[in-house]
Amino acid sequence: MLAAQPLAVEYTAASGALSTAWLLIALPALGAVVLLLLGRRADKWGHLLGCATVGISFVLGLWYFFTLRGLGNRSVSLDLYTLIISGNFKVNAGLLYDPLSAVFVLLITGVGFLIHVYSVGYMKDDPGRRRFFAYLNLFVAAMLLLVLGNSFLGLYFGWEGVGLASYLLIAFWYYKPEAATAAKKAFIMNRVGDVGLALAIFILFATLGSVSYQDVFSGVGRMSTTTVTAVTLLLLLGACGKSGQFPLQAWLPDAMEGPTPVSALIHAATMVTAGVYLIARANPLYNASHTGQLVVCSIGAITLLIGCIIGCAKDDIKRILAYSTVSQIGYMFLAVGLGGGAYAAGILHLLTHGFFKAGLFLGAGSVMHGMKDQVNIRRFGGLAKYMPITAATFGIGYLAIIGIPPLSGFFSKDPIIEHAFDRPGWTGWLFGGIALVGAGLTAFYMTRLMVLTFFGKPRWTEDIKHPHESPPSMTVAMIVLAVGSVAAGGLLAFHNALANWLNPVFGGATEQTPAEVAHKIPALAVTALVLVFVLAGVALAVVIFREGTAPQEQPARSVLVRAARANLYADAFNEAVFMRPGQWLARALVYVDNRGIDGLVNGLAAAVGGGSARLRRLQTGFVRSYALTMLGGAFLVVAALLVVRLG
Amino acid sequence: MNPTWYLILAAVLFIIGAVGVLVRRNAIVVFMCVELMLNAANLTLVTFSRINGTLDGQIMAFFVMVVAAAEVVVGLAILMSIFRTRRSASVDDANLLKY
């Protein structure tokens, strides 16, 4: 691997249109504040305001995007105000609008706006719709802050903000115990990752005295290799927590307890890709640490396999999509871990994934909408006839995710697999092989999902008579996302459009175009291999599930199936290793508190009380005994005086 | 006459007074015993005044008499009110103020 060129980290100050970039964040934040403060008074029009703020943000995002295209130095920073000043420690709240954040802004506000519109129909009968839109606005504001911050501290603010919004939205139906538990699980597992992120920021500050991107990236050369590796690994821990990567992947599938638009927006398209953003943004650090890059690749490869394997064994339509998200983000981690030209490939996959996965989730929500909120694909079947638009848009998303050309997934997943094979040494073969197998497995479980839901004979439960198509407000969003799923990949990959656009961010790293790299396997051969694996997966699933499947889960015949149904024992492991000892510790501490510390305090009080009760008996009420005591005292005083005077 | 005898007399009077306070139950008698002790002290003061040839002790004795007179007024008033409520002048009967 070639060492990356030192990055040009010179940001120009914002002027003209871009000096109003803070509006991007302020609008959704204002929406959230208004909706939360006005309470029920905003129930009637709350959803309209929620859509409007994000919609305007999207329009602004487009405007800024085209302004940025016209600039020479496409990294624009905007200082807002001084956040903290304490001795030498000074933190400016500022924004960085560069090609990377520009595409993220468009993804977040664009997909976010579509999902807001979809939610208007989806949450129509929910009494908490205004609260829902308030939280969605809060999420969009926090996510924009995450990608627009010009320092690790700004990123951390947004990072925690999206965590909060995610928690609030998973627990949106808080009266359901599963939803409340899932929200807590998500929050706690994210906290594990956030500790890593916080520690990484502390180390950066301790070493370089600053946490702004500009100072950190230009100061990479002054840090020792060990420090850089430590920082990269800690950042990776944070990224794993937020993006549901191994070993912190268990919260993401449970997060599907939230409303489906939330799953689409937060737990598929945007928030869970924040980890990928973090690693891509910190690319100068990762370029300086080969260990860090290797670990990122390994985590990505492990996770993409885990996601595929579990995805094959699940029956819950949203859980399958959730595990496929885990797996696809694994691909992105693999890509950004490979470094060099693969950074752009990872971001490309992130963008196309944002389109087709959001579309798939909205399709799943539409299916649930028509099937009385059922999620078990064993009890679906034959829905294509009743929900043609849903089936068509879902089908396009399906073809995109398994990587059939010329849909978007093909243009983004294929380069990642090529880059994986190009990694020098045996690790290249390993990562490439895993990515290849993953592509086949993805095709298998997605085909299973598609066939069991939309084709074959109906296996519905008795209470479902007439499944119906969803209202236009929902289907419009699905159609737009389907168009994106078809076109985004080809457009962004055309003449390396996205890679060239992102060049200022990834610096010299992307200048080696794929053609200049000596391929171990010719690119065409890799593409052919991938297609063979994908088609094999599709064919296998079609053969097995053509006739439908049993309406109940059958006993597992092999160890692998049993393990996959139990989420590869990740939950069992967490419970045995972290939860139970935690409970024991809590119980032991309660015991020590009750018996030890409370015992000491209560014992002291009891001793004083008991002693006083006994001393009280001296007060007999007989005047003559008091007189005797006084006499004795007088004698004592006289005796003492005599001893002192004469002795 | 040797002044020591006055001192011995004062000591005897004081002891009689102290023992009386401790052993007698009748409040009037206890009261008189207290007066006895005060006057034993007065006698001592006057004697030492005579021995030393100064007037300090005699002046002090006047003060003690004045204070004793005031104390008698208050003490007898308390005694009267106790006797009215309890129909008894025994100090052992006035024992409500206890644990």
Side-chain angles (χ1 to χ4, degrees):
Chain A
M1 188 179 305
L2 295 175
Q5 305 291 316
L7 205 62
V9 273
E10 278 168 27
Y11 303 146
T12 47
S15 58
L18 290 178
S19 58
T20 56
W22 54 271
L23 275 175
L24 283 172
I25 302 171
L27 280 172
L30 181 74
V33 169
V34 167
L35 291 183
L36 284 175
L37 286 187
L38 282 189
R40 292 215 181 112
R41 269 162 288 182
D43 270 352
K44 284 216 166 55
W45 44 269
H47 52 283
L48 298 177
L49 178 71
C51 293
T53 54
V54 180
I56 298 172
S57 274
F58 177 62
V59 174
L60 284 175
L62 278 176
W63 183 38
Y64 297 145
F65 177 81
F66 287 111
T67 315
L68 191 69
R69 270 189 60 184
L71 293 181
N73 182 352
R74 287 180 182 165
S75 299
V76 178
S77 98
L78 170 63
D79 271 338
L80 294 178
Y81 57 93
T82 304
L83 186 64
I84 303 171
I85 182 155
S86 167
N88 287 331
F89 184 58
K90 186 163 177 255
V91 177
N92 279 324
L95 303 181
L96 169 65
Y97 191 71
D98 70 350
L100 184 61
S101 29
V103 294
F104 266 89
V105 166
L106 288 182
L107 175 76
I108 295 161
T109 52
V111 176
F113 177 64
L114 289 176
I115 289 170
H116 274 71
V117 171
Y118 175 93
S119 308
V120 173
Y122 190 84
M123 302 297 283
K124 193 170 184 173
D125 303 323
D126 196 297
R129 181 164 70 167
R130 181 218 17 112
R131 189 164 55 91
F132 182 79
F133 276 88
Y135 293 161
L136 275 188
N137 267 218
L138 175 67
F139 166 77
V140 171
M143 189 73 200
L144 287 171
L145 179 61
L146 196 163
V147 298
L148 283 172
N150 72 347
S151 70
F152 281 99
L153 199 70
L155 177 136
Y156 192 79
F157 266 100
W159 194 268
E160 295 298 330
V162 293
L164 169 70
S166 158
Y167 168 79
L168 291 171
L169 284 165
I170 298 170
F172 183 72
W173 291 315
Y174 49 82
Y175 40 81
K176 286 194 338 194
E178 310 87 55
T181 314
K184 277 187 277 183
K185 185 174 179 181
F187 201 73
I188 291 169
M189 294 193 79
N190 265 299
R191 205 108 317 268
V192 176
D194 293 350
V195 169
L197 180 57
L199 286 178
I201 297 175
F202 295 159
I203 293 181
L204 285 176
F205 181 72
T207 326
L208 299 172
S210 167
V211 290
S212 76
Y213 292 145
Q214 191 159 12
D215 296 341
V216 170
F217 296 157
S218 51
V220 173
R222 285 187 281 130
M223 296 161 77
S224 73
T225 321
T226 326
T227 317
V228 175
T229 305
V231 169
T232 54
L233 292 182
L234 287 169
L235 287 178
L236 176 64
L237 180 64
C240 283
K242 194 58 84 195
S243 294
Q245 297 293 290
F246 179 81
L248 298 174
Q249 82 280 19
W251 69 269
L252 185 51
D254 284 12
M256 300 303 135
E257 292 294 342
T260 307
V262 173
S263 309
L265 178 61
I266 300 184
H267 304 117
T270 53
M271 185 192 84
V272 289
T273 56
V276 183
Y277 170 79
L278 175 63
I279 295 177
R281 170 60 78 197
N283 66 82
L285 289 167
Y286 281 90
N287 288 339
S289 167
H290 284 248
T291 321
Q293 287 189 319
L294 181 66
V295 176
V296 175
C297 283
S298 313
I299 293 283
I302 293 172
T303 313
L304 83 86
L305 263 192
I306 289 179
C308 288
I309 292 171
I310 301 177
C312 294
K314 290 281 153 182
D315 292 331
D316 177 330
I317 184 168
K318 284 178 72 182
R319 298 270 158 129
I320 298 174
L321 291 177
Y323 274 108
S324 104
T325 306
V326 169
S327 159
Q328 297 303 313
I329 298 174
Y331 273 104
M332 299 171 207
F333 267 61
L334 178 60
V336 290
L338 291 167
Y343 278 122
I347 299 298
L348 176 60
H349 195 51
L350 193 159
L351 296 176
T352 57
H353 176 260
F355 279 107
F356 59 67
K357 186 51 68 63
L360 286 170
F361 263 112
L362 295 190
S366 169
V367 169
M368 288 162 61
H369 200 68
M371 296 291 279
K372 300 193 175 168
D373 281 336
Q374 291 189 15
V375 288
N376 190 347
I377 57 170
R378 289 177 185 272
R379 304 311 299 259
F380 291 163
L383 289 178
K385 207 164 70 182
Y386 300 91
M387 309 178 174
I389 302 177
T390 305
T393 54
F394 198 91
I396 290 172
Y398 151 75
L399 291 175
I401 193 174
I402 66 174
I404 297 288
L407 281 82
S408 62
F410 168 76
F411 290 103
S412 58
K413 203 191 283 182
D414 201 50
I416 295 179
I417 302 177
E418 281 172 31
H419 280 291
F421 273 118
D422 285 343
R423 192 183 158 86
W426 59 272
T427 51
W429 293 105
L430 180 67
F431 293 142
I434 290 177
L436 197 57
V437 172
L441 283 172
T442 307
F444 174 78
Y445 69 75
M446 286 308 294
T447 311
R448 170 176 178 261
L449 172 62
M450 188 75 198
V451 170
L452 287 183
T453 305
F454 291 106
F455 301 106
K457 290 194 200 71
R459 299 176 302 280
W460 309 334
T461 48
E462 287 74 23
D463 55 333
I464 290 171
K465 301 281 182 272
H466 304 288
H468 58 87
E469 183 60 275
S470 300
S473 68
M474 290 166 69
T475 49
V476 163
M478 288 150 59
I479 293 168
V480 175
L481 285 170
V483 171
S485 310
V486 175
L491 287 181
L492 291 172
F494 188 64
H495 283 309
N496 280 333
L498 184 75
N500 292 336
W501 167 252
L502 290 175
N503 214 19
V505 181
F506 299 128
T510 51
E511 270 161 22
Q512 26 168 317
T513 54
E516 293 162 14
V517 180
H519 286 298
K520 265 195 251 172
I521 311 178
L524 268 181
V526 174
T527 308
L529 255 180
V530 171
L531 284 179
V532 167
F533 268 75
V534 166
L535 291 178
V538 171
L540 188 64
V542 168
V543 169
I544 298 179
F545 298 108
R546 195 182 37 193
E547 300 295 331
T549 187
Q552 269 83 40
E553 193 175 75
Q554 302 299 301
R557 277 188 301 250
S558 72
V559 182
L560 187 61
V561 174
R562 206 171 301 132
R565 280 184 184 164
N567 301 339
L568 293 182
Y569 303 119
D571 290 333
F573 177 83
N574 286 339
E575 278 178 22
V577 176
F578 300 111
M579 195 190 90
R580 300 251 165 70
Q583 284 179 333
W584 293 333
L585 183 66
R587 275 188 213 132
L589 288 176
V590 167
Y591 183 82
V592 169
D593 186 44
N594 281 346
R595 297 296 165 88
I597 296 175
D598 284 6
L600 197 68
V601 174
N602 291 342
L604 199 62
V608 171
S612 315
R614 275 164 192 79
L615 282 176
R616 204 174 58 164
R617 297 279 154 193
L618 289 177
Q619 307 291 325
T620 53
F622 287 111
V623 178
R624 292 182 300 140
S625 66
Y626 299 158
L628 182 62
T629 318
M630 282 165 70
L631 187 69
F635 273 128
L636 273 180
V637 171
V638 171
L641 274 175
L642 288 178
V643 167
V644 172
R645 284 285 172 84
L646 309 176
Chain B
M1 214 176 158
N2 192 346
T4 315
W5 294 110
Y6 292 99
L7 291 180
I8 293 171
L9 175 64
V12 169
L13 285 175
F14 189 88
I15 290 168
I16 292 170
V19 170
V21 167
L22 291 178
V23 301
R24 298 302 296 260
R25 288 193 179 82
N26 191 318
I28 304 286
V29 178
V30 170
F31 215 64
M32 291 197 296
C33 290
V34 170
E35 292 303 316
L36 204 56
M37 283 153 70
L38 281 171
N39 284 308
N42 275 350
L43 188 54
T44 316
L45 285 168
V46 174
T47 310
F48 278 116
S49 180
R50 171 80 182 203
I51 291 171
N52 294 331
T54 57
L55 287 177
D56 298 4
Q58 299 195 18
I59 293 166
M60 196 66 167
F62 280 117
F63 274 109
V64 172
M65 279 181 209
V66 172
V67 171
E71 176 235 321
V72 166
V73 172
V74 177
L76 282 177
I78 294 173
L79 257 175
M80 282 301 292
S81 87
I82 288 179
F83 187 79
R84 278 184 187 158
T85 52
R86 324 214 89 183
R87 291 277 143 213
S88 151
S90 167
V91 287
D92 286 1
D93 286 346
N95 63 352
L96 274 181
L97 191 64
K98 62 179 178 182
Y99 50 84

